[in-house]
Amino acid sequence: MADPTSKGPASAGPQLARDFATTRWSLVQRAGQEDDDDARQAALSELCQAYWYPVYAFARRQGSARVEAEDGVQAFFAELLEGDLLARADADRGRFRAYLLTCFRHFLANGRAREEAWKRGGGRRHVSIDAARAEGRWVAEPVDATDPEREFTRAWGHAVLEGALETLRAEYEAGGKGDVFAALLPTLGGQQESPGYRELAERIGATEGAVKVAALRLRRRFGELLRRRVAQTLVDPSELEDELRGLFEALS
Amino acid sequence: MNDRHDERASCPRCGAPLAEGGVLSGLCPACLLRQGVGDPAPFLHDAARPSGAEVELSAIQRDFPQFEILELVGRGGMGLVYKARQPRLDRTVALKILAPEVMSQPAFAERFLREARALARLNHPNVVAVHDFGEVNGRYFLVMEYVEGAHLRQLIELGRLRAADALRLVPEICAGLQYAHEQGIVHRDIKPENILVDANGRPKIADFGLVKVLGQDEDDWRLTRASQVMGTPQYMAPEQMHRPRDVDHRADIYSLGVVLYEMLTAELPVGRFALPSERARVDARLDDVVLKAMQREPAQRYQAASEMSTSVEDIAKNPRHNRERNVARDVVWPKGKRLNFLNKDKLDGIYELRGIIGVENEELVAEYRSQLLGIARSSKVETLRLPLKDLAVVSFKRGFLSCEIRITLRSLAHVEGFPSGPKGCLRFLFAKADAAEAERLARHLSLSLES
């Protein structure tokens, strides 16, 4: 067992200002220069990869059948990444979350043309959304949230949390402390039968104080990653708290 | 579906349903978010209240009236970094506010003042200047030069660095290191994130000696390692891990060796790593520079940054263009190695091209079958052979759905039987899973253009 008292890995350390000034979403929006095109495309891909599920959830909540939603979402992202949608829809370019939903609504509203693309999307099997897993998740979602937009935001919140947790786990594992992460994870999320600190301490042979400190570090780092992840979908850093509040409301 | 929902476990803390599946499985999303970013209650119930970021910003502004605080540009374990303007001096600065937790370390205040004073004395074009430092209302801060540009990590990741850039940048980085070492200051945390490149392409080393200011070098190495950006112990000299008290300037030289390796190959030298010239098409003499800088024993490394600089400058001054390089080239794309590609047109269905692609005897070779209109599958396997010398531009794009190598030929001829893109242009699409290999192929092809 790694020493749980050693500092949580990866306080972000001396990060360069630019790291934060150039969020993924602001990179996407800095359109134009040919030179930046690759970086822009990569940033957009990365964002889409992280947030395709909310779109799928939205489509399903709207009443699309499973296959239809799957194909439609694939066609939508294909078109989004081709760049046409990005050029056309500047309705709300403030946040990636709002933008994605607006785009998807346009996409759905564009009637017959969309229908064609929708059908064609059926052939695009190489889209890397994991449809079977998506459906598995969909069925597992609670059914009380009937509003598609609310469903979208809720799924978005989950995607943010998942992303931050995955990064956190990877960091701990890279630092040889995967076991610390696994032991402390229950303290983060109100898991059932989450063991108390004392019990945890006994189990891993450390003092209770040491476990508390390690848990605090885990939490702090998680918070940093969470904020950073949300910030990646924004352009204006002052919107961060507001965006977090929106996610809170959707999740609680 | 309803049944499933009813059976769902709910959070013992807040009663919200627990998530199912994936990494969130069994956790309460609402509690997770609350744990991560603090209790939402204040802002949920009082919308008029300024948000956390605003409170922070205005508090900082109050404590630092001599600055116009422009924006929060960095948030990390060491503290917060604001971009700020100093109207009186008409300059933009980076204001670094150290995180409260670092101050809880023993004798922090004394050490901070002692070390920061030494840092503020550093004055060199390749070192990010510390203009001022101090403490206001319990906040310890550093005022530093604001560098508009990017750091090496970003340049490496964007694939913007060429061997020639490394040859130009490293001597300048060495100059900054040499200067600081002469003042008795060791950086202790040289890594791509700490080397900024300004708009004029000048490298500047940031956060000199901050590790020492924060007293982290005196703790055991686990602590030191943990407090750095995650996943970067690879940059640390062995003695930094095992004998932190014996660290001297030669630890920085080791780290710079690792950085140089990464600049040349875009990979970290881990375990029994390949030589730079085996991974990329670079001068084999650079292998020696990297190996010497990364010697395990400090006494066997370059003894001064200026020595390392001289080695690199010699290579830059006497470039070698000989056939040796082709050896390296073949290693980049192994002989006989093939990669599957699958081309479809945008309309998805008019044609489909499925095949394998590789490089043989200075030729790009693709064997493929084509399928038109989704019905007529041609049983004939076509072979396309393109001499590498006929390629003009090679680009690689990583998409969400797949990735793509796009090749522009020197002539605008249409390639027979290969209906892909405009005249003189070829596209090969690869599955997402093959992205790394496809990128390697693209890199190999584009390297062959240079000669």
Side-chain angles (χ1 to χ4, degrees):
Chain A
M1 183 83 202
D3 172 13
T5 59
S6 60
K7 261 193 191 168
S11 0
Q15 286 282 2
L16 174 70
R18 293 283 293 203
D19 228 17
F20 292 85
T22 57
T23 66
R24 293 284 170 276
W25 183 224
S26 64
L27 268 179
V28 173
Q29 296 203 21
R30 195 177 307 142
Q33 292 162 315
E34 176 67 18
D35 202 33
D36 280 343
D37 215 40
D38 286 356
R40 203 178 131 235
Q41 187 70 20
L44 184 60
S45 297
E46 210 176 295
L47 284 173
C48 290
Q49 196 79 64
Y51 297 108
W52 62 264
Y53 180 73
V55 177
Y56 178 84
F58 179 85
R60 291 286 276 128
R61 179 64 66 199
Q62 275 220 325
S64 306
R66 172 182 171 172
V67 174
E68 208 176 76
E70 199 182 304
D71 290 348
V73 169
Q74 287 180 347
F76 167 69
F77 277 112
E79 194 164 328
L80 184 70
L81 289 159
E82 294 277 329
D84 297 349
L85 278 178
L86 193 66
R88 267 184 277 137
D90 27 25
D92 184 352
R93 286 195 143 200
R95 303 175 192 192
F96 181 60
R97 177 162 64 92
Y99 167 81
L100 198 60
L101 188 56
T102 308
C103 271
F104 190 58
R105 284 193 162 128
H106 283 189
F107 179 85
L108 292 177
N110 273 356
R112 263 186 307 216
R114 279 296 76 74
E115 230 165 79
E116 290 304 305
W118 194 271
K119 280 177 192 152
R120 287 201 305 271
R124 303 191 188 206
R125 286 293 161 214
H126 50 295
V127 174
S128 58
I129 74 175
D130 180 348
R133 184 167 159 250
E135 189 58 24
R137 275 168 69 175
W138 167 258
V139 175
E141 302 293 358
V143 289
D144 49 353
T146 46
D147 173 12
E149 183 165 347
R150 189 177 159 81
E151 177 62 29
F152 174 81
T153 315
R154 213 177 58 79
W156 193 278
H158 281 203
V160 167
L161 291 170
E162 275 180 5
L165 268 187
E166 288 289 6
T167 311
L168 188 66
R169 172 161 63 193
E171 286 185 354
Y172 269 76
E173 280 171 359
K177 287 193 238 163
D179 47 357
V180 174
F181 176 82
L184 294 177
L185 181 61
T187 66
L188 267 186
Q191 195 172 30
Q192 273 185 318
E193 295 160 31
S194 107
Y197 288 125
R198 183 189 298 272
E199 191 192 318
L200 206 54
E202 275 167 18
R203 218 170 67 208
I204 63 179
T207 66
E208 193 178 341
V211 171
K212 275 186 185 163
V213 169
L216 179 70
R217 282 181 183 138
L218 179 80
R219 200 178 96 186
R220 194 180 293 144
R221 180 62 185 157
F222 176 60
E224 280 169 16
L225 291 172
L226 205 55
R227 284 173 188 277
R228 202 182 294 175
R229 197 158 180 89
V230 173
Q232 290 299 347
T233 68
L234 307 174
V235 173
D236 181 354
S238 70
E239 284 185 334
L240 181 61
E241 300 302 322
D242 190 54
E243 177 71 4
L244 286 171
R245 182 184 341 182
L247 296 181
F248 257 124
E249 283 166 354
L251 288 180
S252 43
Chain B
M1 219 149 79
N2 269 316
D3 289 348
R4 289 188 65 134
H5 180 208
D6 290 340
E7 285 165 16
R8 289 161 66 90
S10 57
C11 174
R13 266 187 240 176
C14 71
L18 297 182
E20 288 178 16
V23 66
L24 290 181
S25 183
L27 299 170
C28 167
C31 284
L32 260 181
L33 193 57
R34 193 171 297 122
Q35 289 275 321
V37 297
D39 202 311
F43 58 75
L44 271 183
H45 300 307
D46 185 3
R49 238 190 89 175
S51 69
E54 285 162 3
V55 170
E56 225 160 41
L57 202 72
S58 67
I60 299 288
Q61 183 65 77
R62 201 171 46 242
D63 285 347
F64 297 91
Q66 70 275 38
F67 296 109
E68 274 171 36
I69 308 293
L70 300 174
E71 58 177 324
L72 178 67
V73 289
R75 185 196 288 268
M78 259 184 203
L80 303 172
V81 184
Y82 294 90
K83 180 179 179 181
R85 232 180 69 77
Q86 234 175 333
R88 211 148 50 103
L89 294 167
D90 190 26
R91 70 177 175 191
T92 305
V93 296
L95 175 64
K96 181 169 240 164
I97 313 270
L98 299 185
E101 48 265 45
V102 304
M103 296 165 207
S104 60
Q105 298 182 31
F108 171 78
E110 198 184 308
R111 187 176 52 238
F112 174 79
L113 294 177
R114 188 178 65 232
E115 295 295 330
R117 198 170 292 146
L119 300 185
R121 273 201 293 267
L122 293 180
N123 174 18
H124 190 276
N126 299 114
V127 176
V128 174
V130 172
H131 298 314
D132 197 4
F133 59 90
E135 181 260 339
V136 175
N137 291 340
R139 293 183 211 275
Y140 284 84
F141 67 91
L142 293 157
V143 181
M144 301 176 303
E145 176 185 3
Y146 184 81
V147 178
E148 190 79 53
H151 55 60
L152 266 188
R153 161 79 54 230
Q154 292 165 320
L155 297 179
I156 291 170
E157 281 179 359
L158 286 173
R160 294 280 168 81
L161 279 183
R162 291 174 167 259
D165 297 316
L167 290 178
R168 185 181 61 75
L169 290 169
V170 168
E172 288 200 63
I173 299 167
C174 285
L177 276 183
Q178 178 69 28
Y179 168 82
H181 292 164
E182 281 166 10
Q183 319 292 310
I185 295 180
V186 181
H187 190 295
R188 287 159 209 265
D189 193 16
I190 290 285
K191 59 188 171 189
E193 288 83 353
N194 276 339
I195 298 170
L196 318 185
V197 179
D198 73 11
N200 299 318
R202 170 180 289 169
K204 284 172 176 282
I205 308 170
D207 285 345
F208 239 105
L210 259 198
V211 172
K212 192 163 186 198
V213 169
L214 300 178
Q216 287 159 349
D217 59 318
E218 286 163 26
D219 300 324
D220 74 290
W221 70 267
R222 280 196 70 107
L223 266 176
T224 309
R225 185 178 73 164
S227 52
Q228 295 185 327
V229 175
M230 197 52 212
T232 58
Q234 286 92 338
Y235 298 98
M236 291 174 72
E239 69 270 19
Q240 268 178 292
M241 301 208 185
H242 305 300
R243 310 184 301 273
R245 281 161 209 276
D246 297 344
V247 165
D248 63 18
H249 67 281
R250 292 171 297 185
D252 287 349
I253 291 173
Y254 180 96
S255 306
L256 185 55
V258 181
V259 172
L260 173 57
Y261 185 92
E262 210 181 352
M263 287 164 88
L264 297 173
T265 66
E267 288 168 20
L268 275 168
V270 185
R272 290 170 58 89
F273 55 87
L275 295 171
S277 69
E278 292 171 344
R279 302 300 294 163
R281 195 163 166 246
V282 300
D283 197 313
R285 289 172 296 173
L286 282 169
D287 297 349
D288 302 336
V289 176
V290 167
L291 289 178
K292 184 159 184 189
M294 286 182 63
Q295 283 294 315
R296 195 174 171 80
E297 282 305 317
Q300 290 174 2
R301 293 176 203 152
Y302 291 108
Q303 296 301 296
S306 55
E307 280 180 31
M308 182 168 171
S309 175
T310 308
S311 291
V312 174
E313 280 168 321
D314 282 348
I315 294 170
K317 273 184 217 143
N318 307 299
R320 262 187 210 164
H321 293 295
N322 54 27
R323 300 295 298 171
E324 269 175 50
R325 288 177 169 195
N326 285 333
V327 177
R329 193 196 293 179
D330 285 342
V331 177
V332 171
W333 188 257
K335 208 175 155 87
K337 184 173 171 63
R338 304 295 180 81
L339 203 55
N340 290 314
F341 69 92
L342 173 59
N343 287 5
K344 289 185 175 198
D345 60 350
K346 274 193 186 177
L347 298 173
D348 214 11
I350 306 279
Y351 73 80
E352 183 186 297
L353 234 56
R354 197 183 284 271
I356 49 174
I357 183 172
V359 180
E360 259 172 41
N361 303 326
E362 306 290 304
E363 278 184 330
L364 181 69
V365 182
E367 289 175 9
Y368 58 94
R369 275 173 209 271
S370 59
Q371 180 177 358
L372 291 176
L373 296 165
I375 32 168
R377 178 180 286 273
S378 155
S379 57
K380 196 170 152 233
V381 176
E382 314 261 1
T383 304
L384 171 73
R385 288 184 178 271
L386 283 171
L388 295 186
K389 64 177 171 44
D390 288 354
L391 313 186
V393 183
V394 177
S395 68
F396 178 76
K397 264 194 181 174
R398 200 183 280 264
F400 172 56
L401 313 168
S402 57
C403 57
E404 175 185 328
I405 294 178
R406 190 179 290 239
I407 296 170
T408 310
L409 301 173
R410 286 193 189 280
S411 71
L412 287 181
H414 207 80
V415 181
E416 198 69 34
F418 200 93
S420 180
K423 278 191 175 183
C425 181
L426 290 176
R427 291 162 66 222
F428 295 94
L429 271 66
F430 301 88
K432 185 105 184 164
D434 287 332
E437 288 298 326
E439 186 168 15
R440 195 166 163 209
L441 176 61
R443 239 170 71 196
H444 171 71
L445 294 175
S446 62
L447 284 170
S448 71
L449 304 179
E450 287 169 13
S451 51

